[in-house]
Amino acid sequence: MEPQTQSNKPNLVLILDYGSQYTHLITRRIRSLSIFSLCINGTSSLNSITEHNPRVIILSGGPHCVHTDGAPCFPSGFIEYVEKEKIVVLGICYGLQLLVQKLGGVVNIGEKHEYGRMDIEVKKNEGLFGNKEIGDKQVVWMSHGDEAVKLPEGFEVVARSSQGAVAAIENRERRFYGLQYHPEVTHSIEGMDTLRHFLFDICGVTAGWNMEYVLEEEIKVIKAMVGPEDHVICALSGGVDSTVAATVVHKAIGDRLHCVFVDNGLLRYKEQERVMATFESDLHLPVTCIDATEEFLSKLKGVTEPEMKRKIIGKEFINIFDIFAHDLEKKVGKKPTYLVQGTLYPDVIESCPPPGSGRTHSHTIKSHHNVGGLPKDMKLKLIEPLKLLFKDEVRALGKIMNIPVAFLKRHPFPGPGLAVRIPGDVTAGNSLDILRQVDEIFIQSIKDAGIYDEIWQAFAVFLPVKTVGVQGDQRTHSHAVALRAVTSQDGMTADWYYFDFKFLDNVSRKICNSVRGVNRVLLDITSKPPSTIEWE
């Protein structure tokens, strides 16, 4: 699965990210065609680009203006490199404007800005629209304020918008192409058809990247990484990611994998019992369960700052793994060398600095993951077999390894557990117990309604506020809770799930009638962006 493998290099599509909200959707759309694609920062060094040895490079859209100071750009020598190696380049929106400017054309602030759905018309049925007819029209998703007013030498316009703006350009001889719209979004009705034609017919890429291939390649990587006498620890959370990661590693090294499940006191209702039963009866993985509730909660007492909570939890996990490793060394006579984590591609992506930000450090969106939360002196090296996969790809990988489908369909659960669903001090009062009960009622109601699989993630949130209510003919001053459920493909973007009002009414009644200390139920109807999916 690694981009450096010789068998994969000829068909890699590398995306240079310039900050578009749709950039990673391009990655997913290309993978859906059974073509391996990766996304890196658009201002990466030339060496970072060449070491991937891509077949195709896509320059993404972005919010920047190419004619302003400090606008992000590909590195010096990029044009010479792609032409020498005969790499096909496609610029999308900002990427198109970048190509035009750097190749000698002119980009100006447009007189007519185009945002949203727009009709375009094919002007030449060659190259990008070689599978269309001249005069064909299609609806696309435009998003630009600037426009190319003078094309570089050798380029031609192959499509225009209904307002006459340049919609697509190409220089087939030099292998440069550009689209002034987003083909990857569903609003561009024929966008996938254009991408398919571009990749297969113009670039000559062949399909062949699938989960069977990923499994085979990842097992090879792990076997090459882990010595024949090395032992590996896998931190199982009970979620899909860590379980699939453990299963992959187990296939590679067998009994030299030692799994540990840590109950940090921040788990859901009866999670420890349910998860351990699944590991033993269905997955047949040897797992040691460590109850570290006291260790975690004592260190979290009084802590309210979200980032501090995450770091405390991450550090304590590693402390426990180090202790477990020391005990294992006594047992097997050799100290374990590696730690397995179920880090996914969105975790890595969201821990990268945005292009054009001027920062070399990441946003701290996911600091409880290895990419931001592990201490520098950690004694275990990392194995991350899923770090280039999206959530649905992980589930597909688990399926071919015969992990039970019901388990694979479990909604994601965050590494810091309920700590990110209780704003403020998680140890205050009985907030954890209240949240567990509310969450159990909510999730079970969703399952009973037969809509669990329609939802990407659902959970309850404990709000650190009290409200006035009336229960049992008495005035109460109890807590409010919030319910959140979202639909998504991979968690990069998400929309809230549209529940039936009767369902919400029933759930609210169940919670207020069953959970002592709750007298108000709210529904979170915020998408991502602008919010994240979790609350902290």
Side-chain angles (χ1 to χ4, degrees):
M1 187 176 65
E2 295 289 341
Q4 292 81 5
T5 59
Q6 290 299 320
S7 59
N8 195 42
K9 286 165 100 176
N11 287 301
L12 170 66
V13 177
L14 186 65
I15 299 163
L16 301 189
D17 177 19
Y18 292 106
S20 168
Q21 61 179 314
Y22 305 121
T23 297
H24 303 295
L25 186 56
I26 305 173
T27 309
R28 294 191 48 74
R29 292 287 189 253
I30 294 172
R31 289 188 183 188
S32 72
L33 298 174
S34 297
I35 300 171
F36 187 46
S37 62
L38 274 180
C39 179
I40 65 174
N41 194 301
T43 57
S44 296
S45 68
L46 186 60
N47 183 62
S48 296
I49 295 172
T50 60
E51 69 181 5
H52 286 91
N53 193 18
R55 179 74 166 272
V56 181
I57 294 178
I58 294 179
L59 310 178
S60 87
H64 314 282
C65 297
V66 295
H67 42 71
T68 60
D69 292 338
C73 182
F74 44 70
S76 175
F78 174 81
I79 298 297
E80 293 78 8
Y81 160 70
V82 297
E83 293 200 290
K84 179 183 177 182
E85 298 298 326
K86 296 181 171 55
I87 297 170
V88 186
V89 178
L90 171 66
I92 296 177
C93 293
Y94 178 80
L96 175 148
Q97 296 164 12
L98 201 56
L99 279 178
V100 169
Q101 185 201 54
K102 296 303 177 182
L103 291 173
V106 177
V107 177
N108 287 340
I109 297 175
E111 294 182 3
K112 295 180 180 180
H113 297 187
E114 295 180 322
Y115 299 104
R117 290 182 178 86
M118 185 72 64
D119 285 335
I120 66 168
E121 181 177 330
V122 174
K123 296 300 181 181
K124 291 202 174 184
N125 59 342
E126 296 178 293
L128 284 168
F129 298 105
N131 59 340
K132 305 294 181 183
E133 296 294 332
I134 294 176
D136 279 358
K137 294 183 179 180
Q138 57 181 282
V139 177
V140 301
W141 188 259
M142 289 282 193
S143 181
H144 70 97
D146 295 349
E147 64 176 320
V149 296
K150 180 183 177 182
L151 298 185
E153 183 178 351
F155 278 77
E156 58 183 343
V157 176
V158 292
R160 288 188 180 275
S161 74
S162 57
Q163 296 189 127
V166 171
I169 63 172
E170 58 188 43
N171 184 325
R172 293 187 294 281
E173 183 179 349
R174 297 181 68 180
R175 300 179 181 84
F176 291 121
Y177 298 82
L179 296 172
Q180 192 55 72
Y181 64 89
H182 291 278
E184 70 276 16
V185 302
T186 55
H187 303 302
S188 294
I189 308 301
E190 299 180 49
M192 277 303 292
D193 184 47
T194 300
L195 280 177
R196 188 181 294 107
H197 173 71
F198 170 73
L199 292 169
F200 292 130
D201 299 328
I202 295 177
C203 303
V205 174
T206 56
W209 187 79
N210 51 41
M211 288 306 107
E212 286 79 6
Y213 171 81
V214 169
L215 179 60
E216 177 184 342
E217 289 295 307
E218 198 56 53
I219 288 176
K220 289 179 183 177
V221 169
I222 294 169
K223 285 183 175 180
M225 180 189 304
V226 180
E229 296 183 357
D230 288 339
H231 288 259
V232 178
I233 292 176
C234 181
L236 287 174
S237 67
V240 175
D241 305 337
S242 62
T243 301
V244 173
T247 307
V248 172
V249 176
H250 190 258
K251 283 183 174 291
I253 65 171
D255 292 340
R256 289 182 291 126
L257 172 69
H258 307 273
C259 299
V260 55
F261 175 75
V262 178
D263 185 344
N264 59 2
L266 300 167
L267 301 180
R268 290 168 290 192
Y269 184 77
K270 293 187 177 180
E271 182 80 348
Q272 181 187 133
E273 300 95 309
R274 292 171 176 175
V275 166
M276 288 302 296
T278 299
F279 287 151
E280 293 170 5
S281 62
D282 295 329
L283 305 179
H284 309 294
L285 288 173
V287 184
T288 299
C289 181
I290 297 177
D291 190 336
T293 299
E294 178 58 32
E295 289 89 332
F296 278 88
L297 296 188
S298 62
K299 290 179 173 60
L300 288 169
K301 187 175 179 61
V303 179
T304 59
E305 204 278 318
E307 191 58 25
M308 182 61 67
K309 288 197 292 186
R310 291 176 181 268
K311 290 188 179 298
I312 288 172
I313 293 167
K315 184 177 181 179
E316 190 58 29
F317 266 122
I318 298 305
N319 290 339
I320 291 172
F321 296 149
D322 274 343
I323 295 172
F324 180 75
H326 183 72
D327 293 341
L328 187 62
E329 181 182 6
K330 295 178 181 178
K331 180 180 178 181
V332 301
K334 184 177 177 62
K335 188 172 183 178
T337 313
Y338 294 92
L339 168 67
V340 179
Q341 283 197 333
T343 310
L344 302 191
Y345 199 33
D347 302 329
V348 177
I349 291 168
E350 290 193 341
S351 297
C352 294
S357 66
R359 290 197 297 272
T360 57
H361 300 290
S362 66
H363 280 313
T364 52
I365 296 176
K366 294 288 184 70
S367 61
H368 58 282
H369 287 283
N370 65 294
V371 287
L374 298 186
K376 295 179 181 179
D377 60 351
M378 191 188 75
K379 302 177 181 65
L380 298 170
K381 301 175 185 177
L382 289 170
I383 297 177
E384 300 169 292
L386 313 179
K387 68 180 179 181
L388 298 181
L389 300 182
F390 291 96
K391 192 75 175 188
D392 58 321
E393 293 171 332
V394 172
R395 289 191 170 107
L397 181 61
K399 187 175 182 180
I400 69 172
M401 294 189 296
N402 298 316
I403 295 176
V405 174
F407 187 89
L408 293 173
K409 288 184 176 181
R410 292 190 82 194
H411 291 176
F413 187 65
L418 299 182
V420 296
R421 296 173 181 176
I422 301 178
D425 184 355
V426 300
T427 67
N430 59 341
S431 57
L432 282 167
D433 288 337
I434 289 176
L435 181 56
R436 288 190 182 100
Q437 294 177 62
V438 173
D439 188 76
E440 177 71 5
I441 292 171
F442 184 38
I443 299 302
Q444 190 57 53
S445 296
I446 288 174
K447 291 179 178 178
D448 292 343
I451 57 176
Y452 186 83
D453 293 344
E454 297 177 19
I455 299 171
W456 192 78
Q457 188 176 27
F459 55 89
V461 178
F462 179 89
L463 301 179
V465 295
K466 285 189 173 183
T467 68
V468 173
V470 178
Q471 292 171 296
D473 295 326
Q474 294 182 350
R475 183 182 178 89
T476 61
H477 192 224
S478 300
H479 288 284
V481 294
L483 306 181
R484 180 143 173 81
V486 298
T487 57
S488 179
Q489 288 294 318
D490 48 44
M492 296 300 297
T493 60
D495 195 9
W496 60 284
Y497 182 80
Y498 289 61
F499 285 108
D500 178 81
F501 288 160
K502 185 175 181 180
F503 171 87
L504 291 173
D505 179 52
N506 289 335
V507 169
S508 176
R509 291 174 186 275
K510 286 180 182 178
I511 292 171
C512 291
N513 290 338
S514 304
V515 182
R516 186 178 180 84
V518 174
N519 67 359
R520 196 175 298 271
V521 178
L522 310 175
L523 179 66
D524 183 341
I525 58 170
T526 318
S527 63
K528 175 187 179 181
S531 72
T532 60
I533 293 177
E534 298 288 350
W535 273 58
E536 282 196 357

